[in-house]
Amino acid sequence: MAELKNWYLICYDIRCPKRWRKAYKLLEGYGERLQYSIFRCWLSQRMREKLRWELEKILTTEDDLILIRLSQQCVRDLPKYNRSNTWLLDEKGFRVI
Amino acid sequence: MSTTNLDQRTSINLTEDTIRVSALHAFAYCPRLFYLEEVEELYTQDSAVFAGRRLHEEIDKQEDEEWLDLYLEDEILGLRGRVDALRTREGQTIPYEHKRGRCHRDENKQPQAWDSDKLQILAYCCLLEASLGITVIEGRIRYHADNVLIHVPVDDQGRQWVSDTIKQARELRKSAYRPPVVNNEYLCSRCSLSPVCLPEEARLAHNKEWHPVRLFPQDDEREVIHVLEPGTRIGRTGEQLKISRRNEADEKVSIQQVSQVVLHSFSQISTQALHFLSYKDVGIHFVSGGGRYVGSLDTRNGSIQRRIRQYEALTKSDFCLELARKLVKCRGEGQRKFLMRGKRNIKRKSPDLEKAIAQMKAVLKQVPQVESLESLLGFEGNLAALYFGALPNILGKDVSDSLGFAGRNRRPPKDRFNAMLSFGYSLLIKDVMNAILTVGLEPALGFYHQPRTQAPPLALDLMEIFRVPLVDMIVVTSINRQQWDTETDFDVRGQQVWLSDSGRRKFINLYEQRKAESWKHPVTGYSLTYRRLLELEVRLLEKEWCGEGGLFGQLIVR
């Protein structure tokens, strides 16, 4: 159970502003906002399931949610066909302020 | 009827709490899992746990009006729990249990319930009978992965099984001894608690031929946030930490990406942020502007069983001596190996260095026979004197004199080399404390260092193992690589030397990069980053007094 991690794209469409705000705040705790309603998160399976469970408590059946797991190859190729700065990686493990 | 009921109620010991049905399920799965969760209050949820909860949320939403979910408790039976679903079928009340996984298949490939699941549904049946006063003829389990529904009939044998198990679980809950790991490794690979329980390492401790599978996560990729700039404020906004600096835009960090916040000198943190970080089990540490470790926020609640066992073990002087010998040997070997490694890198011959290495070998040979802590201290002093005496020999010959080393001094450090060592050891003790607090041990009770007011002895003890690989090595290699600027990176005030702001930044970078490097554990044989090794070593130390010892203090650089 070495914790393998992957990048995930998380996109949603939420019909009610109250639920939208809750979900938005929750997702901010897990990853980075790319655009409104699109987040990217670096998650292990354990964290993904935790996030899905927490989202499930907020969303109702009329809302849409999709999680897309990006393989290592997908992420590696991303800079080739995107504007620079679209997907910056910072894997230092620490931050000095 | 009601009076006899009352009599029974008063006759049972009211301090004896009821047991959760899900804990009974854990008990049937593995008694050690039950013990770790119920007595030692260790919970780690894995992906299956959350997926299971989500399944329940989804069922909740799909169900029509016949959905009924009930929280029940019965003191006579000694059980409490929440029934997944209760349905009425042909006039009978039937509890349902939903499972995310697959069912068990017997020899004829026929679907069966897993034993622990069967016990769980029977326990719900008994709980319903006891608290609602009805008779339940069967319980049903739905396995969602292969979509199988299994009927579990309730009979006297089943009821007996439930009450026997409750009795056993209660006995175990009162016991002070952690049960051994189970023989079935398959259970462990599926268990959410394996990174805490370390079953493979326990098996290795009993059987040296065992090839452990790594169940311990390889790395912790969350960030350590060092706040050096005075006047910086840490606050909370939603699920994020907000870092505000003067004349700069606010920075936000998602909470899931933070493992520690280290506040150097006088940066500020709000109470809201403190609450939030403690709730999320993020370490909070304070280091003074001069680079001295000040302390950590200790949010442990519970974990008392682990500490009681620690007190018990570490008040036995023989046991402490044994551990201390291992520790001194580990540190001394590490120092000697580091000198030998240094010898390979320098071209010129150095008779002093050769001599020190040989003398250290002779001293180390005597360590296992040392009879008292006092003489052990003497041996350690000897080793340290030899080591620090020989250390200047492994510095490159073009290193400037101001970065040279002529013996260890501290409080305050008198030269640049010592200033780096002191700051490095502060960062190290901070990380060791973080690991001790994560595992839930008592930092104030150690086995080698004696109680003083200055620093927690257990942290000082554990730190010995990591001094060479995490601090000494980076100081020497960074000096040999000419990475330091003798003017701007240091703050010289008469006799005293500190790292300047830029020097501290540089050092933290070197230190954190080193922690991210991985090292193959010499005994377990799998590689981990130093970030994880710190925690693993504390857990292995805890095993020393739980009958699963023998793996602690084996980390020696090659």
Side-chain angles (χ1 to χ4, degrees):
Chain A
M1 204 188 51
E3 307 238 320
L4 289 177
K5 284 192 171 181
N6 275 98
W7 280 104
Y8 285 85
L9 262 190
I10 299 175
C11 320
Y12 53 86
D13 198 350
I14 297 175
R15 306 286 193 283
C16 149
K18 198 170 168 184
R19 292 199 302 274
W20 175 83
R21 183 145 187 81
K22 272 193 188 163
Y24 182 83
K25 283 219 159 188
L26 175 71
L27 277 161
E28 276 191 323
Y30 279 85
E32 206 180 327
R33 192 184 68 98
L34 288 180
Q35 294 165 20
Y36 287 107
S37 310
I38 300 180
F39 277 80
R40 63 165 198 177
C41 304
W42 176 241
L43 302 176
S44 64
Q45 204 183 330
R46 185 187 294 241
M47 285 159 77
R48 183 193 72 200
E49 290 306 321
K50 184 169 183 212
L51 173 62
R52 284 212 51 199
W53 167 60
E54 286 173 333
L55 279 171
E56 213 57 60
K57 287 196 294 184
I58 298 170
L59 304 189
T60 64
T61 38
E62 63 165 359
D63 300 325
D64 294 318
L65 172 71
I66 183 165
L67 280 82
I68 303 165
R69 192 182 76 185
L70 302 175
S71 69
Q72 308 298 345
Q73 175 131 30
C74 291
V75 179
R76 205 169 44 242
D77 289 351
L78 268 170
K80 290 182 189 165
Y81 51 86
N82 275 297
R83 288 189 193 162
S84 52
N85 302 339
T86 307
W87 198 284
L88 294 177
L89 294 179
D90 176 31
E91 290 173 50
K92 276 202 301 187
F94 64 96
R95 187 184 293 231
V96 186
I97 289 161
Chain B
M1 176 73 188
S2 63
T3 46
T4 53
N5 233 346
L6 255 179
D7 289 340
Q8 268 178 311
R9 260 169 217 283
T10 45
S11 69
I12 60 160
N13 186 358
L14 283 174
T15 55
E16 205 170 11
D17 250 346
T18 51
I19 285 178
R20 286 179 302 123
V21 173
S22 47
L24 213 58
H25 180 259
F27 182 83
Y29 190 82
C30 163
R32 188 176 161 104
L33 170 66
F34 170 84
Y35 192 83
L36 291 174
E37 287 191 339
E38 290 297 299
V39 183
E40 304 203 22
E41 298 172 339
L42 291 168
Y43 299 98
T44 56
Q45 295 111 339
D46 68 0
S47 52
V49 174
F50 291 114
R53 287 192 202 165
R54 199 183 75 239
L55 173 74
H56 286 110
E57 290 291 335
E58 281 167 3
I59 296 171
D60 256 336
K61 283 173 196 167
Q62 291 159 10
E63 286 300 323
D64 40 9
E65 74 284 358
E66 60 174 349
W67 173 265
L68 184 66
D69 123 67
L70 266 184
Y71 179 82
L72 296 168
E73 177 156 14
D74 189 81
E75 282 175 16
I76 299 161
L77 194 61
L79 268 185
R80 66 175 189 278
R82 181 174 166 242
V83 186
D84 269 357
L86 207 55
R87 308 265 174 80
T88 309
R89 292 275 185 276
E90 291 148 13
Q92 297 288 340
T93 307
I94 291 167
Y96 277 70
E97 176 65 24
H98 292 271
K99 293 286 174 198
R100 230 186 91 256
R102 294 177 184 284
C103 66
H104 171 63
R105 302 270 167 173
D106 61 12
E107 309 88 76
N108 311 321
K109 302 271 176 240
Q110 288 307 302
Q112 296 290 332
W114 296 97
D115 263 0
S116 52
D117 295 343
K118 206 190 273 176
L119 179 73
Q120 188 182 18
I121 193 74
L122 284 173
Y124 280 127
C125 295
C126 293
L127 186 54
L128 280 170
E129 287 185 337
S131 55
L132 303 184
I134 54 171
T135 307
V136 180
I137 55 157
E138 69 169 40
R140 294 179 186 174
I141 309 173
R142 176 168 293 285
Y143 287 95
H144 284 249
D146 40 11
N147 200 19
V148 168
L149 183 72
I150 289 175
H151 299 247
V152 181
V154 184
D155 50 21
D156 285 338
Q157 208 185 344
R159 293 189 184 100
Q160 194 58 40
W161 185 22
V162 172
S163 72
D164 287 349
T165 316
I166 294 171
K167 210 178 282 168
Q168 289 165 13
R170 279 189 153 165
E171 284 299 311
L172 182 59
R173 199 162 60 174
K174 279 186 274 181
S175 154
Y177 296 97
R178 187 188 293 171
V181 288
V182 292
N183 288 324
N184 182 355
E185 308 109 59
Y186 184 71
L187 290 179
C188 297
S189 63
R190 291 301 190 88
C191 175
S192 61
L193 226 55
S194 59
V196 179
C197 161
L198 300 184
E200 287 290 298
E201 288 75 1
R203 289 185 189 110
L204 183 68
H206 292 302
N207 174 9
K208 298 290 172 218
E209 303 298 305
W210 188 263
H211 294 289
V213 183
R214 182 184 42 222
L215 298 176
F216 193 71
Q218 185 176 13
D219 192 11
D220 177 4
E221 283 166 331
R222 295 176 303 162
E223 281 183 314
V224 178
I225 299 181
H226 289 270
V227 186
L228 282 168
E229 209 171 286
T232 306
R233 292 196 314 277
I234 310 260
R236 174 200 178 169
T237 159
E239 294 283 305
Q240 289 173 304
L241 280 189
K242 189 166 104 181
I243 304 164
S244 343
R245 286 185 280 174
R246 283 190 212 123
N247 313 322
E248 295 224 23
D250 291 351
E251 219 173 312
K252 286 180 186 167
V253 196
S254 305
I255 189 65
Q256 304 283 352
Q257 288 159 14
V258 185
S259 71
Q260 291 177 31
V261 174
V262 188
L263 299 156
H264 296 257
S265 68
F266 295 109
S267 33
Q268 316 295 321
I269 185 163
S270 73
T271 307
Q272 286 86 338
L274 285 172
H275 279 245
F276 184 47
L277 291 171
S278 342
Y279 177 65
K280 297 277 181 186
D281 291 324
V282 178
I284 304 159
H285 307 279
F286 301 94
V287 177
S288 81
R292 192 172 53 84
Y293 169 73
V294 178
S296 309
L297 186 72
D298 180 354
T299 51
R300 285 168 306 164
N301 29 25
S303 78
I304 183 65
Q305 288 292 343
R306 248 159 303 145
R307 273 180 283 161
I308 288 174
R309 273 202 295 271
Q310 183 192 354
Y311 296 138
E312 246 170 0
L314 296 188
T315 40
K316 293 186 200 127
S317 53
D318 289 356
F319 184 74
C320 287
L321 183 64
E322 182 60 40
L323 282 180
R325 279 195 290 244
K326 272 187 196 169
L327 187 73
V328 171
K329 189 155 188 311
C330 173
R331 185 188 177 191
E333 290 276 10
Q335 290 173 328
R336 181 166 170 270
K337 292 276 164 63
F338 180 42
L339 290 180
M340 288 167 73
R341 188 190 275 201
K343 194 177 81 175
R344 265 180 272 146
N345 295 338
I346 54 169
K347 299 285 175 288
R348 59 181 192 276
K349 281 260 181 225
S350 166
D352 289 354
L353 186 58
E354 300 281 359
K355 207 172 132 198
I357 291 174
Q359 282 175 332
M360 286 180 84
K361 188 176 183 181
V363 179
L364 280 166
K365 216 175 242 171
Q366 293 170 284
V367 168
Q369 285 93 48
V370 175
E371 290 297 330
S372 73
L373 273 184
E374 290 72 37
S375 44
L376 196 60
L377 276 168
F379 279 97
E380 197 214 339
N382 246 335
L383 286 168
L386 286 167
Y387 168 69
F388 283 122
L391 204 54
N393 292 309
I394 63 170
L395 292 177
K397 56 178 181 295
D398 41 2
V399 167
S400 86
D401 285 344
S402 54
L403 282 172
F405 180 65
R408 176 87 180 110
N409 56 56
R410 61 216 176 98
R411 285 195 217 127
K414 293 192 181 63
D415 56 53
R416 292 178 172 83
F417 196 104
N418 276 296
M420 285 190 255
L421 284 185
S422 290
F423 186 61
Y425 293 149
S426 294
L427 293 181
L428 178 58
I429 200 165
K430 182 266 301 172
D431 278 322
V432 171
M433 273 300 282
N434 193 63
I436 291 176
L437 295 178
T438 309
V439 177
L441 295 184
E442 172 58 79
L445 185 65
F447 49 88
Y448 182 45
H449 287 83
Q450 295 311 302
R452 282 186 305 149
T453 45
Q454 287 271 341
L458 188 68
L460 291 172
D461 288 348
L462 279 161
M463 191 176 144
E464 300 292 353
I465 298 171
F466 295 100
R467 278 182 201 258
V468 173
L470 283 182
V471 180
D472 299 5
M473 278 189 182
I474 60 171
V475 172
V476 171
T477 45
S478 63
I479 288 178
N480 281 344
R481 283 188 194 142
Q482 314 272 354
Q483 283 176 301
W484 296 94
D485 182 325
T486 47
E487 294 311 312
T488 56
D489 289 339
F490 300 91
D491 207 347
V492 186
R493 293 192 202 137
Q495 287 282 302
Q496 313 171 0
V497 183
W498 315 107
L499 283 169
S500 70
D501 198 43
S502 70
R504 276 188 287 157
R505 274 169 202 273
K506 209 177 261 183
F507 197 95
I508 291 171
N509 273 293
L510 290 168
Y511 176 79
E512 293 289 353
Q513 275 158 16
R514 177 70 179 151
K515 263 170 62 194
E517 284 170 27
S518 52
W519 188 13
K520 190 169 163 191
H521 193 287
V523 183
T524 58
Y526 47 68
S527 58
L528 296 169
T529 60
Y530 284 97
R531 290 191 279 230
R532 292 300 287 173
L533 267 174
L534 284 156
E535 187 189 324
L536 179 67
E537 199 62 14
V538 182
R539 293 201 187 279
L540 292 179
L541 172 67
E542 202 240 349
K543 282 185 176 289
E544 290 290 321
W545 52 76
C546 294
E548 292 158 2
L551 299 178
F552 170 72
Q554 307 279 344
L555 289 173
I556 298 163
V557 266
R558 260 184 268 218

PDB file of all heavy atoms in Angstrom, chain B residues 245-263:
ATOM      1  N   ARG B 245       2.125  38.640   3.935  1.00  0.00           N
ATOM      2  CA  ARG B 245       3.384  39.319   4.214  1.00  0.00           C
ATOM      3  C   ARG B 245       3.244  40.793   3.917  1.00  0.00           C
ATOM      4  O   ARG B 245       2.384  41.187   3.146  1.00  0.00           O
ATOM      5  CB  ARG B 245       4.486  38.725   3.327  1.00  0.00           C
ATOM      6  CG  ARG B 245       4.922  37.374   3.793  1.00  0.00           C
ATOM      7  CD  ARG B 245       6.074  36.887   2.971  1.00  0.00           C
ATOM      8  NE  ARG B 245       5.619  36.354   1.698  1.00  0.00           N
ATOM      9  CZ  ARG B 245       6.476  35.959   0.747  1.00  0.00           C
ATOM     10  NH1 ARG B 245       7.756  36.083   0.918  1.00  0.00           N
ATOM     11  NH2 ARG B 245       6.009  35.456  -0.379  1.00  0.00           N
ATOM     12  N   ARG B 246       4.122  41.552   4.509  1.00  0.00           N
ATOM     13  CA  ARG B 246       4.112  42.991   4.219  1.00  0.00           C
ATOM     14  C   ARG B 246       4.476  43.221   2.757  1.00  0.00           C
ATOM     15  O   ARG B 246       5.380  42.583   2.232  1.00  0.00           O
ATOM     16  CB  ARG B 246       5.160  43.700   5.085  1.00  0.00           C
ATOM     17  CG  ARG B 246       4.702  43.878   6.503  1.00  0.00           C
ATOM     18  CD  ARG B 246       5.671  44.794   7.227  1.00  0.00           C
ATOM     19  NE  ARG B 246       5.718  44.392   8.629  1.00  0.00           N
ATOM     20  CZ  ARG B 246       6.827  44.046   9.255  1.00  0.00           C
ATOM     21  NH1 ARG B 246       7.979  44.046   8.630  1.00  0.00           N
ATOM     22  NH2 ARG B 246       6.786  43.705  10.518  1.00  0.00           N
ATOM     23  N   ASN B 247       3.790  44.121   2.111  1.00  0.00           N
ATOM     24  CA  ASN B 247       4.077  44.530   0.733  1.00  0.00           C
ATOM     25  C   ASN B 247       4.043  43.380  -0.279  1.00  0.00           C
ATOM     26  O   ASN B 247       4.722  43.425  -1.288  1.00  0.00           O
ATOM     27  CB  ASN B 247       5.454  45.214   0.613  1.00  0.00           C
ATOM     28  CG  ASN B 247       5.656  46.244   1.687  1.00  0.00           C
ATOM     29  OD1 ASN B 247       4.714  46.942   2.043  1.00  0.00           O
ATOM     30  ND2 ASN B 247       6.858  46.321   2.210  1.00  0.00           N
ATOM     31  N   GLU B 248       3.327  42.330   0.052  1.00  0.00           N
ATOM     32  CA  GLU B 248       3.241  41.245  -0.935  1.00  0.00           C
ATOM     33  C   GLU B 248       1.813  40.710  -0.975  1.00  0.00           C
ATOM     34  O   GLU B 248       1.079  40.834  -0.004  1.00  0.00           O
ATOM     35  CB  GLU B 248       4.165  40.089  -0.550  1.00  0.00           C
ATOM     36  CG  GLU B 248       5.601  40.483  -0.593  1.00  0.00           C
ATOM     37  CD  GLU B 248       6.470  39.462  -1.253  1.00  0.00           C
ATOM     38  OE1 GLU B 248       5.953  38.653  -2.069  1.00  0.00           O
ATOM     39  OE2 GLU B 248       7.666  39.465  -0.949  1.00  0.00           O
ATOM     40  N   ALA B 249       1.469  40.087  -2.105  1.00  0.00           N
ATOM     41  CA  ALA B 249       0.139  39.516  -2.210  1.00  0.00           C
ATOM     42  C   ALA B 249       0.032  38.312  -1.268  1.00  0.00           C
ATOM     43  O   ALA B 249       1.023  37.638  -1.008  1.00  0.00           O
ATOM     44  CB  ALA B 249      -0.112  39.058  -3.636  1.00  0.00           C
ATOM     45  N   ASP B 250      -1.179  38.068  -0.768  1.00  0.00           N
ATOM     46  CA  ASP B 250      -1.394  36.918   0.112  1.00  0.00           C
ATOM     47  C   ASP B 250      -1.137  35.621  -0.637  1.00  0.00           C
ATOM     48  O   ASP B 250      -1.415  35.527  -1.832  1.00  0.00           O
ATOM     49  CB  ASP B 250      -2.839  36.892   0.627  1.00  0.00           C
ATOM     50  CG  ASP B 250      -3.078  38.033   1.598  1.00  0.00           C
ATOM     51  OD1 ASP B 250      -2.092  38.696   1.979  1.00  0.00           O
ATOM     52  OD2 ASP B 250      -4.242  38.242   1.972  1.00  0.00           O
ATOM     53  N   GLU B 251      -0.650  34.646   0.108  1.00  0.00           N
ATOM     54  CA  GLU B 251      -0.401  33.347  -0.492  1.00  0.00           C
ATOM     55  C   GLU B 251      -1.352  32.366   0.188  1.00  0.00           C
ATOM     56  O   GLU B 251      -1.545  32.441   1.389  1.00  0.00           O
ATOM     57  CB  GLU B 251       1.037  32.947  -0.190  1.00  0.00           C
ATOM     58  CG  GLU B 251       1.748  32.259  -1.302  1.00  0.00           C
ATOM     59  CD  GLU B 251       3.216  32.058  -0.965  1.00  0.00           C
ATOM     60  OE1 GLU B 251       3.874  33.027  -0.523  1.00  0.00           O
ATOM     61  OE2 GLU B 251       3.689  30.939  -1.109  1.00  0.00           O
ATOM     62  N   LYS B 252      -1.931  31.451  -0.593  1.00  0.00           N
ATOM     63  CA  LYS B 252      -2.845  30.478   0.025  1.00  0.00           C
ATOM     64  C   LYS B 252      -2.354  29.069  -0.233  1.00  0.00           C
ATOM     65  O   LYS B 252      -1.914  28.753  -1.329  1.00  0.00           O
ATOM     66  CB  LYS B 252      -4.249  30.640  -0.541  1.00  0.00           C
ATOM     67  CG  LYS B 252      -4.942  31.860  -0.009  1.00  0.00           C
ATOM     68  CD  LYS B 252      -6.322  31.966  -0.600  1.00  0.00           C
ATOM     69  CE  LYS B 252      -6.968  33.269  -0.179  1.00  0.00           C
ATOM     70  NZ  LYS B 252      -8.163  33.528  -0.993  1.00  0.00           N
ATOM     71  N   VAL B 253      -2.438  28.238   0.778  1.00  0.00           N
ATOM     72  CA  VAL B 253      -1.992  26.854   0.647  1.00  0.00           C
ATOM     73  C   VAL B 253      -3.120  25.936   1.100  1.00  0.00           C
ATOM     74  O   VAL B 253      -3.697  26.128   2.174  1.00  0.00           O
ATOM     75  CB  VAL B 253      -0.770  26.564   1.553  1.00  0.00           C
ATOM     76  CG1 VAL B 253      -0.090  25.292   1.118  1.00  0.00           C
ATOM     77  CG2 VAL B 253       0.185  27.719   1.573  1.00  0.00           C
ATOM     78  N   SER B 254      -3.418  24.930   0.276  1.00  0.00           N
ATOM     79  CA  SER B 254      -4.463  23.967   0.664  1.00  0.00           C
ATOM     80  C   SER B 254      -3.993  23.161   1.860  1.00  0.00           C
ATOM     81  O   SER B 254      -2.845  22.743   1.908  1.00  0.00           O
ATOM     82  CB  SER B 254      -4.743  23.011  -0.485  1.00  0.00           C
ATOM     83  OG  SER B 254      -5.060  23.733  -1.624  1.00  0.00           O
ATOM     84  N   ILE B 255      -4.901  22.915   2.782  1.00  0.00           N
ATOM     85  CA  ILE B 255      -4.521  22.280   4.035  1.00  0.00           C
ATOM     86  C   ILE B 255      -3.990  20.865   3.831  1.00  0.00           C
ATOM     87  O   ILE B 255      -3.109  20.404   4.537  1.00  0.00           O
ATOM     88  CB  ILE B 255      -5.713  22.291   5.027  1.00  0.00           C
ATOM     89  CG1 ILE B 255      -5.261  21.843   6.417  1.00  0.00           C
ATOM     90  CG2 ILE B 255      -6.853  21.406   4.566  1.00  0.00           C
ATOM     91  CD1 ILE B 255      -4.285  22.759   7.069  1.00  0.00           C
ATOM     92  N   GLN B 256      -4.507  20.174   2.798  1.00  0.00           N
ATOM     93  CA  GLN B 256      -4.056  18.798   2.572  1.00  0.00           C
ATOM     94  C   GLN B 256      -2.599  18.739   2.127  1.00  0.00           C
ATOM     95  O   GLN B 256      -2.016  17.686   2.075  1.00  0.00           O
ATOM     96  CB  GLN B 256      -4.917  18.124   1.491  1.00  0.00           C
ATOM     97  CG  GLN B 256      -6.379  18.119   1.786  1.00  0.00           C
ATOM     98  CD  GLN B 256      -6.773  17.086   2.817  1.00  0.00           C
ATOM     99  OE1 GLN B 256      -5.975  16.254   3.214  1.00  0.00           O
ATOM    100  NE2 GLN B 256      -8.007  17.158   3.284  1.00  0.00           N
ATOM    101  N   GLN B 257      -2.044  19.876   1.762  1.00  0.00           N
ATOM    102  CA  GLN B 257      -0.667  19.874   1.277  1.00  0.00           C
ATOM    103  C   GLN B 257       0.321  20.321   2.336  1.00  0.00           C
ATOM    104  O   GLN B 257       1.468  20.604   2.033  1.00  0.00           O
ATOM    105  CB  GLN B 257      -0.551  20.775   0.051  1.00  0.00           C
ATOM    106  CG  GLN B 257      -1.210  20.165  -1.166  1.00  0.00           C
ATOM    107  CD  GLN B 257      -1.544  21.187  -2.206  1.00  0.00           C
ATOM    108  OE1 GLN B 257      -1.074  22.306  -2.168  1.00  0.00           O
ATOM    109  NE2 GLN B 257      -2.381  20.795  -3.154  1.00  0.00           N
ATOM    110  N   VAL B 258      -0.123  20.434   3.576  1.00  0.00           N
ATOM    111  CA  VAL B 258       0.767  20.932   4.618  1.00  0.00           C
ATOM    112  C   VAL B 258       0.989  19.851   5.669  1.00  0.00           C
ATOM    113  O   VAL B 258       0.042  19.230   6.138  1.00  0.00           O
ATOM    114  CB  VAL B 258       0.149  22.169   5.310  1.00  0.00           C
ATOM    115  CG1 VAL B 258       1.130  22.758   6.291  1.00  0.00           C
ATOM    116  CG2 VAL B 258      -0.257  23.195   4.296  1.00  0.00           C
ATOM    117  N   SER B 259       2.252  19.586   6.006  1.00  0.00           N
ATOM    118  CA  SER B 259       2.481  18.624   7.071  1.00  0.00           C
ATOM    119  C   SER B 259       2.988  19.295   8.353  1.00  0.00           C
ATOM    120  O   SER B 259       2.747  18.794   9.439  1.00  0.00           O
ATOM    121  CB  SER B 259       3.468  17.546   6.620  1.00  0.00           C
ATOM    122  OG  SER B 259       4.754  18.069   6.518  1.00  0.00           O
ATOM    123  N   GLN B 260       3.695  20.408   8.226  1.00  0.00           N
ATOM    124  CA  GLN B 260       4.169  21.139   9.406  1.00  0.00           C
ATOM    125  C   GLN B 260       4.215  22.631   9.092  1.00  0.00           C
ATOM    126  O   GLN B 260       4.466  23.010   7.961  1.00  0.00           O
ATOM    127  CB  GLN B 260       5.619  20.763   9.755  1.00  0.00           C
ATOM    128  CG  GLN B 260       5.860  19.389  10.256  1.00  0.00           C
ATOM    129  CD  GLN B 260       7.359  19.163  10.472  1.00  0.00           C
ATOM    130  OE1 GLN B 260       8.112  20.077  10.789  1.00  0.00           O
ATOM    131  NE2 GLN B 260       7.790  17.942  10.296  1.00  0.00           N
ATOM    132  N   VAL B 261       4.012  23.426  10.123  1.00  0.00           N
ATOM    133  CA  VAL B 261       4.267  24.852  10.000  1.00  0.00           C
ATOM    134  C   VAL B 261       5.342  25.183  11.024  1.00  0.00           C
ATOM    135  O   VAL B 261       5.198  24.860  12.199  1.00  0.00           O
ATOM    136  CB  VAL B 261       2.995  25.678  10.277  1.00  0.00           C
ATOM    137  CG1 VAL B 261       3.315  27.162  10.283  1.00  0.00           C
ATOM    138  CG2 VAL B 261       1.932  25.377   9.245  1.00  0.00           C
ATOM    139  N   VAL B 262       6.455  25.749  10.566  1.00  0.00           N
ATOM    140  CA  VAL B 262       7.547  26.074  11.475  1.00  0.00           C
ATOM    141  C   VAL B 262       7.684  27.585  11.532  1.00  0.00           C
ATOM    142  O   VAL B 262       7.931  28.231  10.519  1.00  0.00           O
ATOM    143  CB  VAL B 262       8.871  25.447  10.994  1.00  0.00           C
ATOM    144  CG1 VAL B 262       9.944  25.635  12.038  1.00  0.00           C
ATOM    145  CG2 VAL B 262       8.683  23.980  10.701  1.00  0.00           C
ATOM    146  N   LEU B 263       7.488  28.145  12.712  1.00  0.00           N
ATOM    147  CA  LEU B 263       7.543  29.600  12.852  1.00  0.00           C
ATOM    148  C   LEU B 263       8.887  29.994  13.438  1.00  0.00           C
ATOM    149  O   LEU B 263       9.177  29.714  14.597  1.00  0.00           O
ATOM    150  CB  LEU B 263       6.401  30.064  13.759  1.00  0.00           C
ATOM    151  CG  LEU B 263       5.016  29.711  13.208  1.00  0.00           C
ATOM    152  CD1 LEU B 263       3.999  29.633  14.300  1.00  0.00           C
ATOM    153  CD2 LEU B 263       4.590  30.699  12.147  1.00  0.00           C
TER     154      LEU B 263
END
